[in-house]
């Protein structure tokens, strides 16, 4: 098993075990059981519907870019792919700013928490800032580690391609390539470095999405409020589909082998349904308004928001908009800007229901 898949499995298990600690929370605070919407029996079929529909939406979203190789118009080299990826990046950016971050603010400023220290210091902004910095560190160090690991040759597409047949040896004196000429070797080295960045971006984005997917699934699964669950199902289906398209685009550009692509798509697709099932199984003990739950989920949301905002702005939007393809076409830039605004706007509108 590859190290990247093993990392995903270990991270998934650790996060699941950490989520289980939340359910041992103490007494509930400020819960309104007589609001006319709280009905455990009616909520159960809605949660089952949520598991199925969100799973299907997630699979469609993340797999659509991966099967687009057979559709010439949606290949990574075409402009349409760039526009769709910009739209998905807008979805991820709005998820961080309009959904995850406000939820964290609400939780960590709840009246159920003690005045000191939770009402004396803006923990949400602080943790989100630290999360963005830590993501930068991981992003930078992972790139450095993989660069040194592949310093003796070009990074090879695991799915096949010209880089696999044309290795490049980079020497201190001046980028010599064996038997293919300096110009061709330099081009391959640049392509190899870009491919390496795509792989780091795909892995870091996947880990960040897993965090907040488990959290939102746990919250939905533990809730018995039928009024809020109905709106959440539609919003999360929309959210997972287009967030999956953004992740799927990154996985496609990383040019992994089929098994790695399938594993990353699988983990993305099942995390939210798994969170819902976990919350459903533990709904009798999980108290979403208990101090421990508010603090744990609030801090997780803040850290997830920082990561998603960093990834959307730096590794997705800035990387593409400052890249040669978009810089070479003002028309394509304008189309991509519109796509970003539509994606962010649509996801922001979803904040009304979720």
């Amino acid at each position: 098993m590859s190290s990247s898949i093993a990392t995903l499995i270990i991270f998934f298990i650790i996060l699941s075990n950490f989520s289980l600690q939340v359910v041992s929370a103490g007494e509930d605070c400020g819960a309104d059981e007589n609001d006319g919407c709280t009905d455990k029996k009616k909520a159960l079929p809605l949660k089952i519907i949520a598991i199925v529909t969100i799973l299907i939406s997630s699979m469609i979203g993340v797999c659509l870019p991966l099967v687009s190789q057979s559709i010439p118009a949606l290949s990574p080299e075409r402009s349409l792919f760039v526009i769709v990826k910009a739209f998905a990046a807008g979805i991820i950016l709005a998820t961080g700013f309009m959904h995850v971050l406000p939820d964290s603010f609400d939780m960590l400023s709840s009246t159920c928490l003690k005045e000191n220290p939770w009402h004396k210091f803006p923990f949400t902004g602080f943790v989100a800032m630290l999360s963005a910095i830590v993501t930068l560190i991981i992003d930078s160090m992972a790139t450095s580690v993989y660069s040194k690991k592949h310093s003796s040759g070009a990074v090879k597409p695991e799915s096949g391609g010209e880089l696999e047949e044309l290795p490049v040896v980079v020497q201190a004196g001046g980028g010599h390539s064996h038997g293919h000429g300096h110009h061709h070797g330099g081009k391959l080295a640049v392509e190899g470095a870009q491919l390496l960045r795509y792989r780091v971006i795909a892995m870091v984005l996947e880990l960040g999405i897993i965090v907040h997917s488990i959290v939102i699934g746990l919250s939905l699964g533990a809730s018995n409020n039928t009024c809020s669950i109905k709106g959440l199902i539609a919003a999360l289906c929309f959210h997972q589909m287009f967030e999956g398209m953004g992740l799927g685009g990154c996985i496609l550009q990383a040019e992994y082998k089929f098994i790695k692509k399938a594993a990353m798509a699988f983990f993305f697709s099942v995390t939210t349904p798994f969170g819902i099932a976990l919350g459903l199984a533990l709904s009798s003990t999980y108290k979403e308004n208990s101090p421990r739950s508010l603090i744990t989920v609030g801090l997780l949301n803040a850290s997830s928001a920082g990561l998603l905002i960093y990834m959307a702005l730096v590794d997705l939007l800035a990387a593409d908009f400052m890249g040669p393809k978009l810089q070479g076409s003002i028309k394509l830039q304008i189309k991509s800007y519109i796509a970003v605004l539509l994606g962010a706007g649509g996801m922001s509108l979803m904040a009304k229901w979720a």
Side-chain angles (χ1 to χ4, degrees), residues 251-332:
I251 295 173
L252 177 63
Q253 289 180 315
E255 298 188 31
Y256 285 122
K257 289 181 180 178
F258 173 79
I259 186 66
K260 285 187 180 180
K261 291 179 181 178
M264 295 180 75
F266 171 79
F267 276 106
F268 168 78
S269 300
V270 302
T271 45
T272 301
F274 172 78
I276 296 172
L278 183 64
L280 179 61
L282 303 168
S283 59
S284 59
T285 56
Y286 178 85
K287 306 296 183 183
E288 62 181 356
N289 288 315
S290 69
R292 181 179 295 182
S293 296
L294 289 169
I295 293 170
T296 304
V297 178
L299 292 177
L300 280 174
N301 276 337
S303 61
S304 179
L307 187 150
L308 291 174
I309 291 169
Y310 170 89
M311 293 299 297
L313 288 175
V314 178
D315 283 339
L316 297 179
L317 293 175
D320 283 347
F321 278 96
M322 300 307 293
K325 188 174 184 67
L326 281 171
Q327 285 295 307
S329 173
I330 297 295
K331 185 177 180 180
L332 182 58

Side-chain angles (χ1 to χ4, degrees), residues 60-330:
I60 292 174
V62 73
C63 291
L64 190 60
L66 301 181
V67 299
S68 66
Q69 288 177 311
S70 59
I71 305 174
L74 291 176
S75 66
E77 293 77 22
R78 301 299 293 269
S79 298
L80 182 59
F81 180 85
V82 177
I83 295 171
V84 172
K85 188 180 175 185
F87 178 82
I91 293 281
I92 295 173
L93 182 63
T95 298
F97 272 119
M98 297 299 296
H99 292 257
V100 188
L101 199 61
D103 284 349
S104 179
F105 272 115
D106 290 342
M107 291 176 180
L108 296 182
S109 62
S110 172
T111 55
C112 297
L113 300 182
K114 294 180 179 179
E115 182 72 18
N116 189 20
W118 302 104
H119 293 244
K120 299 288 186 181
F121 187 78
F123 281 97
T124 294
F126 180 70
V127 173
M129 177 188 69
L130 286 182
S131 176
I133 295 173
V134 170
T135 305
L136 170 63
I137 294 171
I138 294 173
D139 201 11
S140 176
M141 292 187 69
T143 303
S144 298
V145 169
Y146 282 114
S147 295
K148 290 180 180 179
K149 182 179 178 181
H150 297 283
S151 60
S152 61
V155 182
K156 300 176 182 179
E158 297 177 358
S159 57
E162 66 171 4
L163 290 181
E164 193 164 5
E165 298 178 0
L166 301 174
V168 179
V169 177
V170 181
Q171 298 180 350
H176 180 64
S177 73
H178 289 192
H180 297 286
H182 295 272
H183 177 73
H184 196 54
K187 180 181 179 182
L188 288 177
V190 171
E191 291 176 351
Q194 185 61 60
L195 180 58
L196 185 144
R197 284 294 302 140
Y198 286 146
R199 291 181 181 176
V200 172
I201 289 170
M203 282 300 301
V204 176
L205 183 60
E206 172 98 359
L207 294 177
I209 288 174
I210 284 177
V211 172
H212 91 89
S213 293
I214 288 283
V215 170
I216 60 178
L218 181 64
S219 298
L220 191 153
S223 175
N224 291 316
N225 189 314
T226 57
C227 298
S228 62
I229 290 176
K230 292 175 183 178
L232 273 172
I233 294 174
L236 288 178
C237 286
F238 176 87
H239 167 264
Q240 290 296 108
M241 179 178 290
F242 289 103
E243 189 174 64
M245 289 175 64
L247 177 62
C250 292
I251 295 173
L252 177 63
Q253 289 180 315
E255 298 188 31
Y256 285 122
K257 289 181 180 178
F258 173 79
I259 186 66
K260 285 187 180 180
K261 291 179 181 178
M264 295 180 75
F266 171 79
F267 276 106
F268 168 78
S269 300
V270 302
T271 45
T272 301
F274 172 78
I276 296 172
L278 183 64
L280 179 61
L282 303 168
S283 59
S284 59
T285 56
Y286 178 85
K287 306 296 183 183
E288 62 181 356
N289 288 315
S290 69
R292 181 179 295 182
S293 296
L294 289 169
I295 293 170
T296 304
V297 178
L299 292 177
L300 280 174
N301 276 337
S303 61
S304 179
L307 187 150
L308 291 174
I309 291 169
Y310 170 89
M311 293 299 297
L313 288 175
V314 178
D315 283 339
L316 297 179
L317 293 175
D320 283 347
F321 278 96
M322 300 307 293
K325 188 174 184 67
L326 281 171
Q327 285 295 307
S329 173
I330 297 295

Side-chain angles (χ1 to χ4, degrees), residues 35-51:
D35 57 2
C37 289
T38 303
D39 190 324
K40 191 172 184 178
K41 289 185 178 180
K42 289 183 178 179
L44 179 59
L46 290 176
K47 293 175 187 179
I48 295 173
I49 291 172
I51 290 174

Side-chain angles (χ1 to χ4, degrees), residues 7-27:
T7 301
L8 280 175
I9 294 174
I10 293 171
F11 184 80
F12 187 80
I13 294 172
I14 291 174
L15 184 60
S16 299
N17 289 333
F18 181 68
S19 299
L20 286 172
Q21 301 301 316
V22 181
V23 304
S24 60
E27 63 181 76

